[in-house]
Amino acid sequence: MTRLAALAATEMRLLMRDWTVLAFAFVFPAFDMVILAGVFGNQPDDGYGMQRPDEYYVAASIGVPVIALALVGLPVALASYRERGVLRRFEAFGISTVKVVAAQALVTCGLVVLGAAVVLAVAAPTYGIPHVVHPWQTALGFAAGTVTLVLLGVALGLAAPTARAAQAAGLLAFFPLFLLGGGGPPKGVMTGTMRTIADALPSTVPAISDPWLGVATVDSSLAVLAAWAAAALAVTGWLARRKAA
Amino acid sequence: MRTPAEPASIGAMTRTAIEVRGLDKSYSGRPVVRDLSFTVEAGEIFGLAGRNGAGKTTTVEILQGLRGRDGGRVEVLGLDPARERSRLRPLVGAQLQTSALPDRLRVGEALRLFARLAGDTVDWLRLAERWGLGALLREPYGTLSGGQRQRLFLALALVNDPRLVFLDELTQGLDPVARRETWQLIEQARDHGATVVLVTHDMDEAERLCDRIAVIHEGGLLTCGRPVELIGATGTVRVRFSTPSAAALEGLERITGVAEIAHDGAVADIAADPHAVVHVAAELARRDLAATDFTVIRPSLEDAVVSLLNGGRR
């Protein structure tokens, strides 16, 4: 087993003992999907681009665990490790911070997949799983969205001075991204300004749900996600250089 | 796999474990370490003492390759920690002044993880037994007492069977019993062949454990020597004994090395050079003043270090 795999296995075990993270990552998206899909029904609606709301929320909810885990779980874990000296403990042992961050990012990606699976498992017997119009684009959107938000989560976790600050910043980022990024009301009912903001957000939801439901291709979402990923990498690099100095 | 009971290969060691010459380090233009030089011999417990902010932790971090240096030459086990950290890393163990483990990580998991990260050179279960952690394997780090945590950190510092161990204020905040247990563990580590660098404010600990102590002041070396040498360097001991007569003490001031004589009506108190004590005792015997409570009070190492630091402006 490589060092990275050993670290990732330990991180996974630790996360599985934290019920708050598990609830936020697994229960909240499924719960949200059950309520919203149930409330808005299964009749095609103008506000949803003539899609069925239940199908819209099933597809959209696949992207919610990514936002929850990458923007709240990951930054808090990283900031807490830095604040408490866990990163220094590893560094003194010859395990670089990059490796610890990579292990946490890897675990987050694994949990994101698990979270999506939970949403699908709950959707299947309740509202059904909508037909995937562009499977490869959907998978690409899921992967790109996950990578981008994990990079943003890493930048946030390294920038926040304390775990509490990381939690506050993560929640501040989570709610607009969740509500405007597709987890809440559809773009069809948003005002012009809200829609402009939504289009600029690094949301995984449209990157997944648009190609899934055949509303649009993944291209436009990929461009936005790539810009955010580049910004996150730049911030992470700057933070790493500042620390090295 | 080497078992924890097996001594490290001392034969492969160089005689000098650490050599520091003219080390300089500044943070944002503020000098923290200045022209610091000292050597640590293989197999000794070497203490670093000094006030808070004297540069001890920075020095230790530079020696481990955790920080770069601005100037000077540093060799640790024959390697430059700044340029050859990856080669040095497997040879060194460390317990940091401020570090922790995740609260939910169990003792057994921590030992197994760090043993695996070190390449499984040591049987971590035997290591756990050796450091008295066998009964705590399923306990999460967050529930451990201070003494148990330090025992775990010490075990983790030794999980790669290092030739050199850095311990930074290991016993800070421990109760007296846990502190003494930890001292025994440090001695065990040395007995198993490791060289130990101990950063400490506890002079009882330094006197008990250290073969030599470097006193660092404002980033530079104030003095370095065996505890007894540092104590001796303060220059004065006190001799006390009961005697009802101040007249009996007349003439003692002429003994070379006697600095001061006081008498409170019942007890004589003489401040003198350590070499003068035997002459004072001989003179008292010659005068038939065979005091049954003749006591020589040496300054403690703490007295000596405080005296050095107070007089030791660089």
Side-chain angles (χ1 to χ4, degrees):
Chain A
M1 189 186 276
T2 65
R3 289 173 148 202
L4 181 60
L7 277 172
T10 303
E11 287 298 331
M12 182 62 102
R13 260 198 300 273
L14 293 178
L15 260 177
M16 295 309 251
R17 289 176 196 154
D18 189 348
W19 68 268
T20 54
V21 172
L22 296 183
F24 200 44
F26 297 146
V27 179
F28 171 70
F31 191 64
D32 174 65
M33 182 266 294
V34 167
I35 291 174
L36 290 175
V39 166
F40 293 101
N42 56 9
Q43 295 306 307
D45 189 291
D46 194 30
Y48 293 84
M50 295 315 292
Q51 299 289 317
R52 286 173 46 173
D54 58 346
E55 291 190 340
Y56 173 86
Y57 283 114
V58 169
S61 297
I62 299 296
V64 177
V66 186
I67 309 174
L69 282 162
L71 289 187
V72 183
L74 179 60
V76 170
L78 270 181
S80 160
Y81 271 24
R82 206 188 61 250
E83 185 182 9
R84 300 185 59 230
V86 176
L87 291 180
R88 281 175 59 76
R89 170 76 260 163
F90 279 114
E91 211 163 316
F93 203 75
I95 307 299
S96 67
T97 297
V98 171
K99 202 157 271 179
V100 180
V101 169
Q104 292 213 341
L106 210 60
V107 169
T108 302
C109 290
L111 289 177
V112 161
V113 173
L114 270 177
V118 169
V119 170
L120 289 177
V122 174
T126 50
Y127 306 110
I129 298 173
H131 170 65
V132 184
V133 177
H134 301 295
W136 288 110
Q137 287 195 33
T138 305
L140 181 62
F142 183 76
T146 302
V147 169
T148 301
L149 284 189
V150 164
L151 288 172
L152 283 167
V154 168
L156 196 58
L158 294 177
T162 62
R164 287 173 73 91
Q167 188 175 33
L171 286 171
L172 274 174
F174 172 82
F175 283 108
L177 206 54
F178 169 69
L179 291 171
L180 295 177
K187 279 186 190 168
V189 300
M190 289 183 190
T191 64
T193 308
M194 285 167 71
R195 198 178 301 187
T196 305
I197 294 169
D199 286 341
L201 290 174
S203 180
T204 48
V205 173
I208 297 167
S209 62
D210 284 359
W212 183 325
L213 300 173
V215 174
T217 63
V218 77
D219 302 356
S220 55
S221 295
L222 284 184
V224 175
L225 290 173
W228 279 97
L233 276 174
V235 170
T236 304
W238 177 74
L239 289 168
R241 280 194 300 278
R242 194 179 66 164
K243 177 183 171 285
Chain B
M1 182 181 288
R2 203 153 65 206
T3 65
E6 194 179 325
S9 168
I10 299 174
M13 289 183 184
T14 53
R15 186 71 199 115
T16 300
I18 298 173
E19 181 155 18
V20 177
R21 288 283 166 265
L23 178 64
D24 288 311
K25 176 70 182 175
S26 298
Y27 294 133
S28 308
R30 184 175 59 87
V32 176
V33 178
R34 291 190 288 190
D35 195 26
L36 180 65
S37 300
F38 62 87
T39 57
V40 178
E41 301 301 323
E44 73 176 339
I45 299 180
F46 186 85
L48 283 175
R51 288 181 171 149
N52 290 328
K56 306 183 295 295
T57 295
T58 298
T59 302
V60 164
E61 288 176 344
I62 291 170
L63 295 178
Q64 293 175 70
L66 295 174
R67 285 191 194 280
R69 61 181 185 268
D70 298 337
R73 190 167 65 83
V74 175
E75 268 194 18
V76 178
L77 301 171
L79 301 168
D80 182 333
R83 289 203 302 265
E84 299 169 288
R85 190 174 169 217
S86 58
R87 286 181 65 200
L88 179 63
R89 195 51 260 163
L91 308 175
V92 171
Q95 174 271 332
L96 302 170
Q97 187 181 0
T98 51
S99 74
L101 290 169
D103 279 345
R104 290 186 178 82
L105 187 66
R106 293 176 180 150
V107 169
E109 289 171 339
L111 286 166
R112 189 173 53 196
L113 172 66
F114 279 80
R116 188 155 292 165
L117 295 175
D120 285 323
T121 52
V122 162
D123 179 347
W124 66 269
L125 272 171
R126 291 189 65 180
L127 189 72
E129 291 301 330
R130 183 176 138 200
W131 298 113
L133 296 166
L136 301 171
L137 291 180
R138 291 194 59 77
E139 293 298 317
Y141 172 80
T143 65
L144 299 181
S145 69
Q148 290 167 336
R149 287 182 182 190
Q150 294 302 48
R151 218 183 308 160
L152 174 60
F153 282 139
L154 197 50
L156 293 179
L158 298 170
V159 82
N160 56 339
D161 202 8
R163 285 167 51 186
L164 174 62
V165 189
F166 293 97
L167 304 174
D168 196 345
E169 297 188 20
L170 183 67
T171 58
Q172 191 180 37
L174 296 188
D175 66 63
V177 174
R179 204 168 72 221
R180 278 164 195 270
E181 283 174 3
T182 308
W183 291 352
Q184 287 174 355
L185 298 178
I186 295 170
E187 285 173 329
Q188 270 188 51
R190 191 262 304 275
D191 293 345
H192 278 77
T195 304
V196 179
V197 174
L198 184 69
V199 178
T200 184
H201 286 297
D202 183 339
M203 291 300 107
D204 285 343
E205 176 173 293
E207 190 167 6
R208 155 81 187 265
L209 294 175
C210 295
D211 297 302
R212 289 188 305 135
I213 300 164
V215 181
I216 296 181
H217 184 63
E218 295 177 358
L221 184 70
L222 191 60
T223 186
C224 181
R226 293 184 296 130
V228 69
E229 291 171 342
L230 299 189
I231 292 167
T234 59
T236 304
V237 297
R238 302 200 84 86
V239 175
R240 285 191 187 142
F241 55 93
S242 299
T243 177
S245 165
L249 305 174
E250 280 177 14
L252 290 180
E253 71 278 5
R254 286 195 293 274
I255 296 174
T256 307
V258 170
E260 184 187 327
I261 298 173
H263 188 258
D264 65 1
V267 176
D269 185 342
I270 302 174
D273 183 279
H275 302 294
V277 173
V278 68
H279 299 297
V280 171
E283 179 60 23
L284 293 179
R286 198 183 64 74
R287 297 181 185 188
D288 237 6
L289 282 174
T292 53
D293 59 351
F294 185 89
T295 308
V296 180
I297 303 164
R298 286 191 325 151
S300 66
L301 181 61
E302 184 166 306
D303 294 334
V305 169
V306 168
S307 164
L308 284 164
L309 288 171
N310 284 338
R313 301 262 175 253
R314 296 180 85 236

